[in-house]
């Protein structure tokens, strides 16, 4: 079966024009593929390039070189690095989802509104999205009294759960998760991990950045280990997990 | 049939991502004040550091601006004063005559003719129910001596509404939508605060359900909390209505909140165009990097 | 060199109807243009008249341009043939043309008026000439000349509609009394100054031709016979004419004519159209 995501020789560097024009390499010749329904964990120390990789895949960062082939639900394949901005906007949400580490933008949006918007962006009607948002928030144990509050007043853990709720609502065929459970207390962390595990059962491919050994062990069938912008190891979880250093699995 | 069995042509069509037809299509838009020769372009722009041609004294306020906007999309135009961003908006709105360019609206002649070639009267008519503008200064978009309801009655009557009761109903509905207290409907706009004036401007702009909305620094000059309220309103309206929107702002918070894509202008030229999140997190052009860094500080 | 004495000799014989032929033709051309574009204000070269500006010089120029030897002229001011102004104008016209004067509508061919249309019906042989102080219906909402021209050219009357809306909101009704704006032939908004609302329905699909003259503003306009004249109002705000609450004329008893208040301790009413009233009394 064709991979849902096929990353080949992707490099990313930043040219800091306003400092001294220096070039900082963040990703160096990264190649890997994700099968449909596969849950792949990205592991490595801070600064290894994991979040950068997710952002490049989502097109928030522009790759300097390489190709990123995404298989659409229609069966066709597109190279994300070659798409126009308008095509990327059309594709995000429906074909490719991203749950960021932070809830930064739009602090004055109501919780349920934020989650419902994710549903709308995936093609749901406003009413469907609102219903689905309610269900999603319940599953993540967000009290109904918080639903109409602005996201800005939530705690870090609550924000993270709202983020996950938005990510899980009518998920696209591949979801990129950036440290989805790092700020959660044990009980909510358990819940979240169960829900993310359900994604694999539902056939959603997941590429997730985790610093959490236990989460990786429970969720991922495969681990890609990164260091200094490159992939150093790529294999089944059981093989890679023992190699991970403490520094790589600290939050 | 599996993908292995498909022909190349089938694969190509499957790989096409359906992108909606643009409602607004802008190509090669340019505006120059004063005499203009070939050298003027070379003597102006970001590379030179000015929009003013030192030899002829002319100002290349905007040049070679291109973009598309579809229904349900909002495009931002970012830049500092003098970047040309407002000039671009005004040329599309018809407030200024462009020097050159090909601008098409799907709602006019199905996008088959360049609206810049239209006679002024026809362009003015587009402003009744095809293109609306919300200005930074409410005095430009409203008659200050007229009531809030009256300012909304204006585009309605221009569109042929002749029933007083229905005009008032529609005005009340729009004011409610823009969160202006109903008991102020018959107050003259001069007596409204800045934030309220902007809300009335927005209500008026939406009166005839135009497909295109242009916003020129809609919250600049308002107090922070007032601006936040107006921005939230605009964001909500953009999400509910299927408008093609262009937002001009120097404020990245506005661009981030309202738009999915944007272009950055400097000294009259477009220096970068990107997805909004991409511009904010991975700006490529040195000027964009400077702007974003300053905004983040 | 020409001497002052030569320039101050006795004037040439007064031409027929005071104006020289070229002047009359220029005014007639303007009038023809006006009739061809109902409601549109046509500029004309308004001349100095032996009547000051503001006293009917425009209407006078129209009458002088169209009057012929066999015309019969009636002039009224506020409905009254005997008002000083009306008398003055009538004498000016008849003395320079030797035409007949009358106070009776059915004998007249030209009726010049300020402020009223006569109560008696006028037919296709009548021409009504109205004296207009302000020909521009949009003057209350716009001052700029170029913008006014554009508004009429593009039939962009939204400012007018907004002012009607504001009027109704402020006052509960549309309060304009004289000079009520009307849409003529579905195209131009026209000032019906200075006739009262009462008389406006008589302009709609009339048998007679109405010509409007503004001497100071140098404009003429026309409402030809059988032309639609619709007072601007909202669909659900009916156009109302003045009413005197069931009063009737103290002289002839009419309650179907336009009444004006008679001065005195107790309010009484009398017909504005004196000729009409007198005829009713002597019938």
């Amino acid at each position: 079966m064709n991979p849902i995501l096929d990353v080949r020789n992707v490099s990313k560097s930043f040219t800091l024009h306003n400092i001294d024009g220096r070039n900082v390499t963040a990703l160096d010749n990264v190649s890997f593929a994700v099968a449909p329904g596969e849950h792949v964990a990205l592991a490595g120390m801070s600064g290894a390039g994991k979040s950068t990789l997710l952002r490049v895949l989502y097109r928030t960062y522009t790759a300097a070189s390489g190709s990123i082939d995404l298989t659409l639900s229609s069966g066709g394949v597109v190279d994300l690095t070659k798409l126009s901005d308008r095509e990327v906007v059309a594709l995000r949400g429906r074909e490719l989802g991203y749950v960021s580490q932070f809830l930064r933008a739009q602090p004055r949006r109501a919780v349920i509104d934020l989650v419902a918007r994710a549903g709308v962006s995936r093609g749901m009607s406003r009413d469907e999205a609102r219903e689905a948002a309610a269900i999603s928030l319940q599953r993540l144990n967000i009290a109904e009294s918080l639903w109409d509050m602005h996201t800005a007043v939530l705690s870090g853990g609550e924000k993270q759960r709202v983020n996950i709720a938005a990510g899980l609502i009518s998920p696209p065929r591949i979801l990129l998760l950036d440290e989805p459970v790092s700020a959660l207390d044990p009980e909510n962390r358990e819940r979240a991990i169960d829900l993310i595990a359900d994604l694999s059962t539902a056939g959603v491919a997941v590429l997730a950045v985790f610093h959490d050994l236990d989460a990786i062990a429970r969720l991922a069938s495969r681990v890609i280990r990164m260091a200094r912008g490159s992939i150093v190891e790529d294999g089944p979880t059981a093989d890679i997990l023992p190699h991970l250093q403490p520094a790589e699995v600290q939050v | 049939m599996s993908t292995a069995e498909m022909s190349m042509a089938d694969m190509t069509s499957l790989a096409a991502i359906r992108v909606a037809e643009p409602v607004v299509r802008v190509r090669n838009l340019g505006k120059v004040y004063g005499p203009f020769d070939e050298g003027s372009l070379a003597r102006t722009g970001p590379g030179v550091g000015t929009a003013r041609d030192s030899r002829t004294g002319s100002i290349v306020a905007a040049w070679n601006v291109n973009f598309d906007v579809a229904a349900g999309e909002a495009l931002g135009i970012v830049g500092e004063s003098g970047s040309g961003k407002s000039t671009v908006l005004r040329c599309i709105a018809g407030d200024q005559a462009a020097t050159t360019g090909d601008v098409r609206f799907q709602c006019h002649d199905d996008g088959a003719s360049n609206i810049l070639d239209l006679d002024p009267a026809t362009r003015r008519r587009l402003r009744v129910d095809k293109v609306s503008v919300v200005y930074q200064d409410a005095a430009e978009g409203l008659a200050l001596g007229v009531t809030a309801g009256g300012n909304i009655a204006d585009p309605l009557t221009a569109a042929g509404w002749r029933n007083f009761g229905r005009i008032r109903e529609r005005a009340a509905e729009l004011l409610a939508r823009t969160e202006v207290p109903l008991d102020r409907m018959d107050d003259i706009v001069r007596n409204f605060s800045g934030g309220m004036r902007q809300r009335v401007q927005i209500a008026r702009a939406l009166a005839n359900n135009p497909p295109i909305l242009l916003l020129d620094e809609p919250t600049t000059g308002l107090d922070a909390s007032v601006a936040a309220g107006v921005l939230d309103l605009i964001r909500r309206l953009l999400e509910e209505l299927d408008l093609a929107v262009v937002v001009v702002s120097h404020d990245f918070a506005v661009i981030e909140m309202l738009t999915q894509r944007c272009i950055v202008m400097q000294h009259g030229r477009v220096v970068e165009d990107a997805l909004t999140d991409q511009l904010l997190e991975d700006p490529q052009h040195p000027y964009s990097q400077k702007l974003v860094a300053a905004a983040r500080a | 060199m020409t001497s002052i004495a030569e320039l101050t000799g006795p004037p040439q014989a007064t031409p027929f109807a005071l104006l020289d032929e070229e002047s009359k033709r220029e005014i007639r051309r303007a009038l023809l243009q006006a009739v061809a574009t109902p409601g549109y204000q046509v500029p004309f070269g308004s001349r100095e008249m032996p009547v000051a500006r503001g006293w009917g010089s425009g209407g006078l120029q129209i009458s002088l341009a169209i009057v012929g030897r066999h015309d019969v002229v009636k002039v009224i001011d506020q409905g009254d043939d005997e008002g000083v102004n009306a008398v003055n104008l009538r004498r000016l016209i008849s003395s320079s043309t030797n035409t007949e004067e009358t106070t009776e509508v059915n004998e007249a061919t030209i009726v010049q008026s300020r402020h009223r249309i006569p109560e008696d019906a006028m037919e296709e042989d009548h021409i009504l000439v109205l004296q207009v102080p302000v020909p521009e219906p949009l003057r209350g909402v716009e001052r700029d000349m170029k913008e006014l021209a554009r508004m009429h050219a593009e039939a962009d009357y939204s400012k007018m509609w907004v002012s009607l809306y504001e009027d109704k909101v402020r006052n509960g009704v549309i309060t304009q009394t004289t000079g009520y704006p009307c849409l003529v032939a579905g195209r131009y908004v026209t000032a019906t100054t200075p006739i009262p609302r009462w008389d406006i329905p008589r302009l709609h699909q009339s048998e007679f031709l109405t010509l409007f003259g503004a001497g100071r503003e140098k404009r003429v306009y026309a409402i030809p016979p059988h032309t639609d004249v619709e007072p601007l109002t909202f669909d659900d705000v009916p156009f109302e004419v003045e009413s005197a609450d069931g009063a009737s004329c103290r002289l002839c008893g009419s309650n179907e004519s336009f009444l004006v208040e008679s001065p005195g301790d107790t309010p009484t009413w009398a017909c504005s159209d004196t000729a009409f009233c007198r005829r009713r009394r002597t019938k």
Side-chain angles (χ1 to χ4, degrees):
Chain A
M1 216 200 288
N2 282 339
I4 184 169
L5 189 69
D6 195 356
V7 181
R8 295 183 197 207
N9 308 109
V10 164
S11 295
K12 171 62 184 164
S13 57
F14 295 95
T15 310
L16 306 178
H17 292 288
N18 292 304
I19 299 179
D20 49 11
R22 77 174 75 150
N23 213 328
V24 174
T25 303
L27 289 179
D28 188 9
N29 205 19
V30 166
S31 299
F32 66 94
V34 177
E38 195 181 7
H39 186 127
V40 180
L42 288 177
M45 282 182 19
S46 293
K50 310 183 297 296
S51 291
T52 303
L53 177 58
L54 290 187
R55 284 205 184 66
V56 168
L57 296 178
Y58 199 59
R59 264 291 296 274
T60 301
Y61 289 171
T62 2
S65 58
S67 66
I68 303 170
D69 285 342
L70 175 72
T71 304
L72 305 173
S73 40
S74 62
V77 179
V78 291
D79 181 355
L80 293 176
T81 62
K82 304 244 177 339
L83 293 182
S84 71
D85 290 346
R86 292 189 64 219
E87 288 173 310
V88 172
V89 172
L91 186 143
R92 279 176 176 177
R94 284 174 204 258
E95 301 282 348
L96 180 63
Y98 176 69
V99 178
S100 77
Q101 201 175 2
F102 309 106
L103 233 182
R104 186 174 40 79
Q106 305 179 4
R108 289 185 308 276
R109 202 191 267 279
V111 164
I112 189 162
D113 191 35
L114 186 140
V115 180
R117 281 296 296 168
V120 169
S121 76
R122 309 250 166 87
M124 291 177 136
S125 76
R126 300 240 304 277
D127 291 326
E128 281 172 347
R130 209 161 161 92
E131 265 182 57
I135 295 171
S136 202
L137 286 168
Q138 275 161 357
R139 293 171 77 199
L140 277 144
N141 201 23
I142 302 277
E144 211 169 316
S145 55
L146 292 178
W147 291 3
D148 287 324
M149 302 243 161
H150 288 166
T151 51
V153 308
L154 300 181
S155 71
E158 285 162 341
K159 282 185 192 166
Q160 201 167 56
R161 281 182 282 140
V162 169
N163 251 351
I164 297 173
L168 297 185
I169 191 174
S170 180
R173 288 164 66 249
I174 175 165
L175 204 51
L176 310 171
L177 304 179
D178 197 347
E179 302 222 38
V181 301
S182 58
L184 300 183
D185 60 81
E187 188 199 320
N188 282 308
R189 188 179 149 283
E190 279 305 298
R191 231 180 239 259
I193 288 178
D194 284 340
L195 291 173
I196 296 171
D198 286 346
L199 287 172
S200 302
T201 321
V204 176
V206 176
L207 182 58
V209 171
F210 279 117
H211 280 292
D212 185 327
L213 209 57
D214 177 57
I216 296 176
R218 285 165 60 183
L219 293 171
S221 54
R222 187 168 138 224
V223 177
I224 292 176
R225 191 170 167 219
M226 295 182 71
R228 286 179 300 281
S230 303
I231 293 181
V232 296
E233 273 190 272
D234 180 352
T237 307
D239 295 348
I240 311 281
L241 222 46
H243 300 170
L244 295 181
Q245 303 294 316
E248 290 173 277
V249 288
Q250 279 160 19
V251 172
Chain B
M1 103 172 95
S2 74
T3 42
E5 288 161 352
M6 284 184 206
S7 67
M8 275 302 283
D10 292 327
M11 295 276 283
T12 317
S13 69
L14 280 181
I17 297 173
R18 280 194 44 230
V19 167
E21 274 298 301
V23 168
V24 179
R25 200 175 140 265
V26 176
R27 295 284 179 273
N28 278 313
L29 183 61
K31 173 70 182 175
V32 182
Y33 295 96
F36 175 37
D37 64 40
E38 282 123 38
S40 302
L41 290 178
R43 290 189 289 272
T44 55
V48 181
T50 177
R52 188 178 172 281
D53 180 359
S54 51
R55 182 164 327 155
T56 62
S58 55
I59 298 184
V60 181
W63 196 256
N64 199 17
V65 178
N66 301 280
F67 59 81
D68 288 345
V69 191
E73 281 187 347
L75 176 97
I77 308 184
V78 193
E80 298 173 305
S81 329
S83 59
K85 57 191 195 301
S86 284
T87 303
V88 168
L89 184 140
R90 282 170 191 271
C91 286
I92 298 171
D95 291 341
Q96 267 174 26
T99 304
T100 183
D102 187 326
V103 176
R104 313 244 164 161
F105 295 161
Q106 194 184 64
C107 54
H108 175 77
D109 200 14
D110 221 28
S113 43
N114 183 0
I115 62 142
L116 300 180
D117 291 337
L118 294 176
D119 64 276
T122 315
R123 288 221 55 195
R124 261 190 288 273
R125 273 198 289 280
L126 291 177
R127 293 287 291 270
V128 173
D129 60 0
K130 302 282 189 289
V131 191
S132 281
V133 184
V134 174
Y135 296 94
Q136 175 180 349
D137 182 0
E140 263 197 87
L142 299 173
L144 294 184
V146 170
T147 63
N151 269 287
I152 298 173
D154 186 352
L156 293 176
T157 54
W161 288 52
R162 293 287 179 262
N163 186 296
F164 183 77
R166 268 185 247 136
I167 289 171
R168 272 187 77 77
E169 255 173 51
R170 176 79 176 139
E173 181 194 318
L174 288 160
L175 290 171
R177 198 96 181 268
T178 52
E179 295 154 10
V180 175
L182 261 272
D183 60 6
R184 302 217 58 193
M185 179 161 154
D186 298 331
D187 283 351
I188 64 169
V189 167
R190 188 173 284 122
N191 296 336
F192 284 37
S193 66
M196 277 294 156
R197 288 184 187 187
Q198 290 307 77
R199 290 170 187 273
V200 176
Q201 253 207 103
I202 294 167
R204 178 200 155 97
L206 298 176
N208 289 316
N209 295 319
I212 301 169
L213 181 64
L214 309 175
L215 301 155
D216 192 354
E217 305 269 13
T219 54
T220 300
L222 299 177
D223 290 338
S225 57
V226 174
V230 175
L231 260 190
D232 287 346
L233 170 68
I234 295 174
R235 185 197 67 204
R236 269 197 298 280
L237 290 170
L238 297 197
E239 285 168 9
E240 284 165 31
L241 308 167
D242 219 20
L243 305 164
V245 181
V246 177
V247 184
V248 164
S249 187
H250 69 280
D251 185 344
F252 276 102
V254 172
I255 297 292
E256 186 174 15
M257 184 172 279
L258 301 180
T259 68
Q260 299 87 39
R261 295 181 296 125
C262 57
I263 66 177
V264 182
M265 291 189 70
Q266 186 191 21
H267 298 310
R269 313 296 163 91
V270 177
V271 298
E272 188 162 350
D273 80 83
L275 297 161
T276 302
D277 64 310
Q278 193 182 337
L279 180 71
L280 291 167
E281 301 208 30
D282 186 20
Q284 302 293 299
H285 191 274
Y287 177 67
S288 313
Q289 289 189 358
K290 199 157 72 160
L291 276 188
V292 172
R296 291 283 182 232
Chain C
M1 193 164 86
T2 313
S3 71
I4 301 250
E6 287 173 278
L7 292 174
T8 56
Q12 305 283 1
T14 322
F16 180 81
L18 285 184
L19 298 167
D20 59 279
E21 193 56 25
E22 280 72 33
S23 299
K24 290 205 286 264
R25 288 188 185 192
E26 194 259 329
I27 298 171
R28 287 179 211 142
R29 277 194 294 272
L31 289 172
L32 284 174
Q33 161 97 73
V35 171
T37 49
Y40 172 70
Q41 302 163 57
V42 181
F44 79 109
S46 181
R47 283 135 187 87
E48 288 298 317
M49 289 277 103
V51 142
R53 296 287 187 216
W55 292 92
S57 63
L60 179 62
Q61 286 176 80
I62 292 180
S63 295
L64 293 175
I66 65 176
V67 71
R69 295 189 193 286
H70 305 290
D71 275 302
V72 181
V73 175
K74 171 178 162 79
V75 181
I76 52 173
D77 190 327
Q78 313 253 33
D80 188 353
D81 301 80
E82 295 313 312
V84 168
N85 211 29
V87 169
N88 238 355
L89 289 167
R90 192 167 62 242
R91 283 200 192 137
L92 254 177
I93 298 171
S94 61
S95 66
S96 64
T97 60
N98 274 321
T99 51
E100 278 181 53
E101 304 173 17
T102 182
T103 58
E104 301 309 304
V105 168
N106 58 1
E107 290 168 12
T109 57
I110 295 175
V111 178
Q112 178 167 332
S113 168
R114 182 180 92 81
H115 186 63
R116 284 299 321 279
I117 297 181
E119 298 288 348
D120 294 309
M122 289 191 288
E123 309 290 304
E124 63 180 33
D125 294 333
H126 287 103
I127 296 180
L128 175 64
V129 177
L130 292 177
Q131 299 165 211
V132 174
V134 180
E136 178 54 72
L138 306 176
R139 198 179 77 155
V141 299
E142 179 59 62
R143 287 304 186 127
D144 184 80
M145 296 289 292
K146 268 187 72 180
E147 179 61 11
L148 285 168
R150 182 201 70 76
M151 288 162 81
H152 283 294
E154 294 178 17
D156 176 6
Y157 293 118
S158 51
K159 272 204 168 126
M160 185 80 240
W161 284 104
V162 172
S163 97
L164 292 176
Y165 169 92
E166 296 284 279
D167 199 1
K168 170 105 175 99
V169 162
R170 239 194 316 275
N171 303 309
V173 290
I174 296 177
T175 58
Q176 279 203 270
T177 48
T178 55
Y180 199 96
C182 294
L183 186 65
V184 175
R187 177 59 181 88
Y188 287 102
V189 168
T190 303
T192 54
T193 109
I195 60 177
R197 292 169 121 183
W198 181 271
D199 287 333
I200 289 176
R202 327 262 295 291
L203 291 171
H204 177 66
Q205 291 290 331
S206 63
E207 294 288 324
F208 54 92
L209 167 67
T210 305
L211 301 174
F212 297 75
R216 180 179 46 206
E217 297 295 317
K218 309 185 191 352
R219 298 268 189 281
V220 295
Y221 48 104
I223 296 179
H226 308 295
T227 303
D228 286 338
V229 177
E230 299 157 89
L232 289 190
T233 186
F234 298 99
D235 293 345
D236 53 341
V237 179
F239 174 74
E240 283 168 15
V241 300
E242 297 88 345
S243 91
D245 285 329
S248 51
C249 173
R250 68 177 170 81
L251 297 170
C252 73
S254 162
N255 62 355
E256 281 172 354
S257 53
F258 186 67
L259 302 175
V260 289
E261 276 195 64
S262 279
D265 296 323
T266 48
T268 49
W269 299 85
C271 289
S272 135
D273 187 334
T274 55
F276 169 82
C277 185
R278 189 175 51 242
R279 260 205 1 269
R280 270 180 63 96
R281 281 180 278 136
T282 57
K283 240 195 315 215

